[in-house]
Amino acid sequence: MKTLLLARHAKSDWDVAGLRDHDRPLNARGLRDAPAMARRLRDEGVGLQRVVSSTAVRARRTAEAYAAAFALPVIEEAGLYAAHAARILRVAAALPDDADVAMLVGHNPGMTDAVAELTGSWVEFPTCAVAECTIDIGSWAELIEGSGRLRRLRTPHD
């Protein structure tokens, strides 16, 4: 059994004129929500073993909050920036099998679509939300569309 946590980056800052989308930082709410969600996952006993992030600044900062709560490094994956669902699931299928619980941190609409393709469940996916998906597989390479089940969606507001 594998658990895939699909996470959308925390709330980003749109106030800096001329800043490229890739370089947008988190705003004050994002800087508050990301560590709070990370502590929540840790306190709920989610055994996170790997954190893989889009290279965008807002995703990377969100991933760093999760990584810090679980004493893990952040692995950057350029392919997660503005990725569509199929690309997100390919990144998941390439995860190392020594990690049974892994998180991918990325962007919408890709994360919403990846949850739908993996589990058949459509969810509202606000910033800093985390979809916990279980997959009855022994190896990440076995992950295919429809192979997962949405166990829980966590948002900063619930």
Side-chain angles (χ1 to χ4, degrees):
M1 181 71 73
K2 302 287 186 189
T3 300
L4 181 62
L5 301 168
L6 294 171
R8 184 176 176 196
H9 64 79
K11 190 77 173 163
S12 61
D13 191 346
W14 288 86
D15 290 340
V16 181
L19 198 61
R20 292 180 332 139
D21 177 73
H22 188 275
D23 298 330
R24 280 190 293 119
L26 295 179
N27 69 11
R29 189 173 105 195
L31 291 168
R32 180 183 66 243
D33 285 351
M37 285 292 288
R39 286 189 303 272
R40 182 174 162 194
L41 288 179
R42 185 195 62 217
D43 293 349
E44 290 176 0
V46 174
L48 187 58
Q49 298 168 305
R50 193 164 192 91
V51 178
V52 181
S53 176
S54 157
T55 55
V57 171
R58 61 194 181 276
R60 173 68 193 214
R61 295 299 170 257
T62 302
E64 287 170 353
Y66 288 107
F70 289 90
L72 295 168
V74 174
I75 298 154
E76 287 190 356
E77 171 54 57
L80 287 176
Y81 177 64
H84 53 78
R87 175 69 178 146
I88 292 166
L89 296 182
R90 280 195 303 273
V91 170
L95 289 164
D97 287 328
D98 63 344
D100 290 325
V101 182
M103 173 182 276
L104 302 183
V105 181
H107 313 268
N108 250 4
M111 285 297 171
T112 296
D113 295 342
V115 171
E117 288 195 23
L118 180 61
T119 69
S121 298
W122 189 89
V123 295
E124 288 285 334
F125 219 109
T127 53
C128 212
V130 178
E132 183 177 348
C133 307
T134 57
I135 310 123
D136 190 12
I137 54 176
S139 170
W140 288 107
E142 299 170 40
L143 185 147
I144 58 170
E145 183 179 328
S147 63
R149 182 178 66 84
L150 179 63
R151 181 164 182 256
R152 182 171 180 192
L153 178 71
R154 294 173 179 87
T155 70
H157 312 293
D158 60 22

